[in-house]
Amino acid sequence: MLKENLLNDIGFTDEMKKNYDVLYAAIGEGTEKIAEAYMAEKITICEALDAVRKLDPTVNEYSADLMLVLLCTDFLFEKYKENNVPYECFESTAKNIKIKVDECEKFKGVFGTFVAEYMDPYFRLTRIGFGRLMFDIVPASEEDIAVGDITLPMGSFMARCHIPSGSPLRREDCIKSYKAVYNYCKPHLKNGILPVVCSSWLLHPAIKDLYGEGSNTHRFISDFKLYWWIDTDTFSNAWRVFNMDDTGNPDDFPRETRLQRNIVDYLKSGKKLGKGKGIFLFDGENVL
């Protein structure tokens, strides 16, 4: 069973806790052994997920995946302590599990997670929560990056930013996150500068205007200098905005929020969305 109060710390509702108890009764004991093997790096995340899903075929695979994630989080707490990572980082990381449960319930109608494989870096301590944002702490980029006055050769140290859903991207919260990851990475920095990169649907050039000037997200996007983007025929991130997949017909999307309406009107005009990549430099206090 999970450590006392862990579900409270993650932010689970009473209903989620009840669902967890039912799920644990079905596959909990078997999952604990698999989680232990995975956290000891004896098996991969894919092997662990496959094993958990086979414990009880009547359990939805997204629910089974969540059980593995939750029980791995027990081990993760100890791993953070062993590596002297601040408790605040553990808490920020763990709270993202609840966000993934919320997304799964809205999008799939299931208590679980449909992105368990994505969480592998959580448990390898390469993706860590720093307040509002998460970052991959990685020693190498997948490509040379050059935009404006910024040049980042492949192999340079950087922090790759991830943007959990569930709360506004307030400027003060983002700056706190940048400062926290900067302090964590400080021993590895060249000339006291941290390159921060991001790959996201939010960094497609059209998205900033669709959010509107003055919005939290518009300000967040404005920090980044775009160095790559692509249009796609299908809006693959539609579920993040509409809680449904792109059917190919923008009229199928709800129009309940300003952003939803702006995106629907944009797509109906024949234009496309996609994703982009951006970078900025941070000196510990300011975005350069």
Side-chain angles (χ1 to χ4, degrees), residues 247-264:
T247 65
N249 182 359
D251 286 325
D252 291 339
F253 288 137
R255 298 175 60 98
E256 297 169 359
T257 68
R258 184 177 68 173
L259 178 61
Q260 288 177 345
R261 292 190 291 272
N262 287 348
I263 288 179
V264 168

Side-chain angles (χ1 to χ4, degrees), residues 3-202:
K3 288 182 177 63
E4 187 178 1
N5 296 324
L6 181 58
L7 292 182
N8 287 330
D9 293 344
I10 291 174
F12 269 33
T13 64
D14 289 342
E15 185 64 27
M16 288 178 176
K17 293 174 191 174
K18 291 178 183 176
N19 288 336
Y20 166 79
D21 289 339
V22 172
L23 187 58
Y24 186 87
I27 61 171
E29 290 186 7
T31 303
E32 284 183 343
K33 297 176 183 177
I34 298 167
E36 185 174 7
Y38 165 66
M39 291 300 289
E41 301 191 35
K42 295 178 180 178
I43 57 176
T44 66
I45 185 67
C46 292
E47 290 169 334
L49 291 169
D50 184 59
V52 170
R53 292 168 186 170
K54 289 177 179 177
L55 290 173
D56 185 343
T58 67
V59 173
N60 183 280
E61 70 175 64
Y62 299 139
S63 298
D65 291 357
L66 176 61
M67 179 55 67
L68 177 69
V69 167
L70 289 172
L71 294 180
C72 285
T73 305
D74 254 357
F75 293 96
L76 184 63
F77 178 74
E78 298 301 325
K79 200 169 183 179
Y80 267 64
K81 289 198 296 184
E82 290 169 6
N83 287 273
N84 297 313
V85 183
Y87 176 77
E88 292 80 7
C89 291
F90 169 78
E91 192 173 44
S92 295
T93 304
K95 284 182 177 179
N96 278 279
I97 296 171
K98 196 263 184 180
I99 291 173
K100 298 306 176 188
V101 174
D102 286 337
E103 290 175 350
C104 192
E105 289 185 333
K106 290 177 182 177
F107 183 41
K108 302 291 187 179
V110 175
F111 174 72
T113 176
F114 58 93
V115 290
E117 198 172 329
Y118 160 88
M119 297 185 191
D120 181 56
Y122 288 24
F123 302 113
R124 299 303 183 228
L125 242 63
T126 56
R127 182 171 298 157
I128 300 174
F130 292 89
R132 174 63 183 86
L133 302 170
M134 299 192 78
F135 297 87
D136 290 343
I137 310 302
V138 290
S141 62
E142 73 280 8
E143 59 195 327
D144 292 345
I145 297 172
V147 56
D149 57 354
I150 298 175
T151 300
L152 188 67
M154 185 168 61
S156 302
F157 184 88
M158 65 181 184
R160 183 179 292 118
C161 182
H162 296 269
I163 314 152
S165 64
S167 60
L169 282 167
R170 296 186 182 92
R171 182 63 178 169
E172 59 270 26
D173 294 337
C174 292
I175 293 295
K176 285 180 182 178
S177 292
Y178 300 153
K179 288 182 177 181
V181 70
Y182 178 92
N183 289 332
Y184 182 83
C185 295
K186 204 168 186 177
H188 306 285
L189 302 184
K190 184 178 181 180
N191 300 322
I193 300 297
L194 175 66
V196 178
V197 301
C198 184
S199 175
S200 172
W201 69 279
L202 288 176

Side-chain angles (χ1 to χ4, degrees), residues 143 147 199 203-205 225-230 275-278:
E143 59 195 327
V147 56
S199 175
L203 293 188
H204 184 274
K225 295 182 178 180
L226 299 188
Y227 62 89
W228 177 91
W229 62 86
I230 189 172
K275 60 182 179 180
K277 297 180 181 181

Side-chain angles (χ1 to χ4, degrees), residues 221-237:
I221 296 169
S222 297
D223 282 340
F224 292 90
K225 295 182 178 180
L226 299 188
Y227 62 89
W228 177 91
W229 62 86
I230 189 172
D231 295 335
T232 56
D233 291 334
T234 300
F235 181 30
S236 61
N237 284 278

